[in-house]
Amino acid sequence: MSEQLPPIDLPLDAGTPVGRRVVLGLIGLGALGVAGGSALSAGVGAIAAKDPTGVTALVPGGGGYRYYTVTGPVADVAPADYSLSVSARPSAAPVKLDWATLSSLPQTTITKDVQCVTGWRVASQTWSGVLLKDVLLHSGADLSAAALTFGSFDGTYTESLTMSQGLRPDVLVATSLDGAPIPNEHGGPVRLYVAPMYFYKSLKWLGSVSVVSAVEPGYWEKLGYDVDAWVGNSNGRNDAPI
Ligand SMILES: Nc1nc2c(c(=O)[nH]1)N[C@H]1C(S)=C(S)[C@@H](COP(=O)(O)O)O[C@H]1N2
Ligand SMILES: [Mo]
């Protein structure tokens, strides 16, 4: 990873406390509120202003997680109102999988450390949901195609995997974290979870999965981060694999 790469997440200045209540308060604000900083404390406003990529904050009590979003707060979507759009082959019209359908598919649980490419790590997190492979099989996807792209209902963030990566037994369409619904700040109700890769691959607020004919670099990858983001073997890092 070269020095020129833009920061995926910036550490908070020491002595700049951001409470969970403030973080959750941010979630309720529109993007305009964040840009204007009108309703924000000076501390949070300063952080948002300094971070070109969006709002970043530690989530106190979140066991070391940082709340991260390149767009600012994202509206809550209730499971009953959620659906995942799946395009089964390049240029195909999407089919929609609702929450009941996701719940009816085989459920898989994975426990691992979460690890961001900037070095922060959260030990032993348990994600559950449906294997991406099972979502693709259920949707009649063309598994011989080269790649998959993912869209967020934040309207901006994107991710990408090769088809063989997407069919791995440690890649989930996740619906729970540590036995509870995924909170909004962690990308709920449904998040992509790519266990063997740095956490930027785990797109929050998953809205769409599309089968495509070639890998399309995601949001951070267009800015220079590795598309193949294996923990311990990418981005010039040598973290211990998890
Ligand atoms: N939609 C969306 N997904 C995202 C991001 C984001 O900004 N927007 N940031 C990525 C990065 S860099 C990290 S480290 C994790 C942060 O997840 P968390 O906010 O649940 O800690 O989400 C990843 N997925
Ligand atoms: Mo990250």
Side-chain angles (χ1 to χ4, degrees), residues 6-221:
I8 274 193
D9 10 50
L10 297 180
L12 294 177
D13 288 347
T16 311
V18 180
R20 183 177 176 82
R21 256 203 335 227
V22 176
V23 172
L24 295 178
L26 278 173
I27 290 165
L29 294 172
L32 196 61
V34 171
S38 52
L40 305 179
S41 75
V44 176
I47 292 160
K50 261 196 324 200
D51 182 350
T53 59
V55 177
T56 179
L58 285 168
V59 181
Y65 275 103
R66 286 157 197 271
Y67 168 57
Y68 212 72
T69 168
V70 298
T71 57
V74 173
D76 251 324
V77 173
D81 298 328
Y82 178 82
S83 68
L84 176 64
S85 293
V86 181
S87 295
R89 49 189 47 74
S91 307
V95 293
K96 301 231 175 201
L97 275 64
D98 63 12
W99 184 264
T101 304
L102 287 175
S103 306
S104 73
L105 294 173
Q107 302 292 304
T108 299
T109 295
I110 298 170
T111 300
K112 270 202 167 196
D113 292 4
V114 150
Q115 209 166 325
C116 174
V117 71
T118 57
W120 58 270
R121 180 169 183 144
V122 189
S124 192
Q125 298 296 292
T126 299
W127 298 90
S128 301
V130 184
L131 283 179
L132 178 59
K133 178 182 184 176
D134 288 335
V135 166
L136 294 170
L137 287 171
H138 177 84
S139 309
D142 176 5
L143 305 187
S144 71
L148 299 159
T149 63
F150 305 88
S152 171
F153 60 80
D154 70 12
T156 300
Y157 203 84
T158 55
E159 256 308 333
S160 189
L161 292 171
T162 64
M163 182 63 77
S164 61
Q165 291 166 356
L167 296 176
R168 287 174 57 106
D170 52 4
V171 176
L172 286 182
V173 172
T175 53
S176 90
L177 169 57
D178 286 341
I182 300 174
N184 175 284
E185 68 264 35
H186 288 311
V190 176
R191 173 182 195 152
L192 182 66
Y193 174 58
V194 182
M197 295 194 180
Y198 286 111
F199 208 27
Y200 63 86
K201 299 298 291 192
S202 292
L203 172 142
K204 310 206 295 185
W205 308 294
L206 180 62
S208 66
V209 178
S210 303
V211 173
V212 291
S213 53
V215 168
E216 297 167 10
Y219 182 91
W220 286 115
E221 295 143 17

